[in-house]
Amino acid sequence: MMIAPSILSADFARLAEEAAAVSTADWLHVDVMDAHFVPNLTLGLPVVESLHAATDIPLDCHLMIEDPDRWAPPYAEAGARNVTIHVEAAHDPVQVARALRAAGALAGLALKPGTPLDPYLDILGEYDTLLVMTVEPGFGGQSFISEVLPKVRRARELVQSGHLKLFIEVDGGVSADTIEQAAEAGADVFVAGSAVYGADDPSAAVEGLRAQASRVFGQPTPAVG
Ligand code: DX5
Ligand code: ZN
């Protein structure tokens, strides 16, 4: 189980310090937006390279960009631990996954809230991470969309039954109020932006979220049948 604070809600002029403020985080989530795939514009490869040099926390790059086939592999080459692309934007998601893995990163596939999971089950074997968006991508601070949790549940069943081997990540609106339902559905990587960087003590917020998710993980699995 991993907690990944999103620097989208951090102070972009002080990114190294903001990373240091969440030193117990498992991954640091970096939202790359290109003003085309989503209406917002954030940061790109040079900032990721500098951030990688400035922190030991593995970077989890979430690329909300057009043409990830062309632009995603350099993030893996820059040292990101996990690079997630959007299936809605990819021309050849299998090829992108192979390029990311060949460059030494984990490969992630993201689904917007309205994008179904089932059409992509046959390519998920090429991936290490499934990111289920729990808000419309583009902005921090939105409300968690619990209607997407059946996708998390379905993915967890396929992992449990050995058909897939994936981290299942949720991103958007994850907070003390929502993390438990995401964990119950089967997520094991939790992105949180405003719930971490909006807190007085970001590090304590990370630990609080971790404790909540861990409690759910610690519960005995209900007997089947
Ligand atoms: C939204 C981003 C999220 C965002 C989450 O497009 O992908 O990573 O930072 O922010 P919160 O946790 O505030 O919803
Ligand atoms: Zn994100």
Side-chain angles (χ1 to χ4, degrees), residues 18-62:
E18 295 281 63
V22 293
S23 57
T24 60
D26 301 282
W27 284 354
L28 194 61
H29 186 83
V30 180
D31 287 308
V32 176
M33 304 187 190
D34 68 351
H36 289 272
F37 181 71
V38 287
N40 202 359
L41 180 67
T42 54
L43 54 84
L45 191 59
V47 175
V48 168
E49 287 170 337
S50 295
L51 189 58
H52 180 57
T55 180
D56 292 331
I57 306 173
L59 301 184
D60 173 31
C61 292
H62 175 197

Side-chain angles (χ1 to χ4, degrees), residues 6 8-9 29 31 33 62 64 133 135-142 171-174 191-194:
S6 168
L8 186 62
S9 300
H29 186 83
D31 287 308
M33 304 187 190
H62 175 197
M64 286 160 275
M133 289 299 304
V135 298
E136 289 298 336
F139 300 92
Q142 304 181 76
D171 180 11
V174 174
V191 177
S194 44

Side-chain angles (χ1 to χ4, degrees), residues 94-112:
V94 169
Q95 274 309 113
V96 185
R98 289 178 183 170
L100 293 172
R101 284 174 160 183
L106 300 177
L109 194 69
L111 307 178
K112 298 207 284 191

Side-chain angles (χ1 to χ4, degrees), residues 134-148:
T134 40
V135 298
E136 289 298 336
F139 300 92
Q142 304 181 76
S143 298
F144 185 83
I145 304 173
S146 54
E147 287 76 10
V148 305

